[in-house]
Amino acid sequence: MTKRKELYNPADHLTVSEQIRIRFNETDPLGIVWHGYYITYFEDGREAFGRQHGISYLDIHESGYTTPIVKSSCEHKLMIKYGDVIRIETSFVDSPAAKMIFRYNIYDQNDQLACTGETVQVFMDSDGNLSLNIPPFFEEWKRKVGLTK
């Protein structure tokens, strides 16, 4: 049996972890996080990623673009409760298309996987037109972080 050599993936280093404490208003009457807040936690993860890697919403806006979400998915594994400190792990997924893909793992306070998810964002220019080509600022960002040459 031949072992397959694992290839280096430059996107592996593009993961950010962020911890947050679950607030009372994010829970239902049983003290369990309401399912709609998981999408908010994904946004918390994207914002942390953007701040750390120089691709925040403000950076994108200053380049003349917005990045609306066109697809999101969320799969719940375990309950998270009021007062828990959770960890949101956000990873950038490289794509040759003019879009940004992020994957999420949310871990409970015992470091058990509680939720997974993914979002897809596209680029729109300042006039609200969909960009079918990768914007120059995003190409430059990909080069800077080592995704392209």
Side-chain angles (χ1 to χ4, degrees), residues 8-60:
Y8 169 71
N9 180 359
D12 287 345
H13 71 283
L14 294 176
T15 298
V16 171
S17 285
E18 175 87 351
Q19 283 190 330
I20 62 168
R21 182 175 299 278
I22 302 302
R23 298 178 305 180
F24 177 76
N25 70 309
E26 298 167 342
T27 62
D28 65 14
L30 299 174
I32 299 167
V33 170
W34 178 68
H35 67 277
Y37 276 103
Y38 287 84
I39 300 297
T40 301
Y41 302 151
F42 293 171
E43 184 170 358
D44 292 338
R46 279 193 313 280
E47 293 228 353
F49 182 94
R51 285 190 306 273
Q52 185 168 329
H53 289 287
I55 193 82
S56 71
Y57 290 131
L58 290 176
D59 296 322
I60 293 168

Side-chain angles (χ1 to χ4, degrees), residues 126-146:
S126 57
D127 293 326
N129 298 311
L130 178 65
S131 180
L132 299 177
N133 298 309
I134 297 174
F137 83 92
F138 192 57
E139 281 285 1
E140 178 59 31
W141 178 81
K142 288 173 83 168
R143 271 192 293 281
K144 190 168 106 178
V145 298

